[in-house]
Amino acid sequence: MPDTALLIIDMQRALLKDAHDGEACLARVAGLAARARSADVPVIYLRQRLDQVPSEWLEVHPTLTPEPADVVLDKDSADSFLGTPLGEVLEERAVRRLVVTGYASDFCVDSTSRSALSHGYDLVLAADGHTTMERPDGAAPTAAQIVAHHNVIFSVIQYAGRSVTVAPAAEIRFDM
């Protein structure tokens, strides 16, 4: 089995209702999840706990319904490692490389990606597999600019001894 895991961060109904490119992003992440499972790569869902939001809205979006072998972890902060057993789950599975997808590019995807690098993991950011909320007309930066900005940042960021790749979902391989 490859030493890779797919992280699907905060792809929850409540959060995605106003997401930039939401349906297309969901479809790409669903494709990644199917390919990961076919390669016996763990699929790990992270869900943000939110106060005063009905529980049904906090569930993973139906496009990405977790399968029985998938791991689902709840979290209370932008960093998916903080206060969760994510590190232990990855260690148990001998994971060294994380493919990161999810919501929101500028919060939880960014925080988790940087934390993953600091925790010693190689990182693959799915360039078209993360999104953020649409901004009001005229707001700058736009959601599309935020997604693009994070792709650029992670394409040039350096962490000693770590590999960082930004690639479209269609180009990400799990059989390595």
Side-chain angles (χ1 to χ4, degrees), residues 15 20 30 61 63 102 106 120 137 174:
L15 300 174
H20 165 72
H61 193 281
T63 302
D106 42 346
D137 288 341
F174 293 102

Side-chain angles (χ1 to χ4, degrees), residues 52-139:
Q52 302 176 1
V53 175
S55 61
E56 65 271 11
W57 280 93
L58 294 178
E59 293 303 315
V60 173
H61 193 281
T63 302
L64 297 171
T65 301
E67 293 190 3
D70 297 341
V71 176
V72 180
L73 303 173
D74 292 318
K75 63 187 186 67
D76 295 306
S77 69
D79 178 352
S80 296
F81 288 87
L82 184 62
T84 73
L86 178 58
E88 292 86 5
V89 168
L90 298 172
E91 188 175 319
E92 288 170 4
R93 290 161 175 78
V95 170
R96 301 300 326 136
R97 175 179 173 253
L98 297 175
V99 176
V100 175
T101 66
Y103 181 92
S105 306
D106 42 346
F107 296 102
C108 300
V109 171
D110 180 78
S111 294
T112 299
S113 295
R114 291 173 191 270
S115 186
L117 291 164
S118 292
H119 280 87
Y121 295 95
D122 291 330
L123 176 72
V124 177
L125 178 63
D128 53 358
H130 64 98
T131 186
T132 195
M133 70 183 114
E134 284 291 359
R135 293 346 195 228
D137 288 341

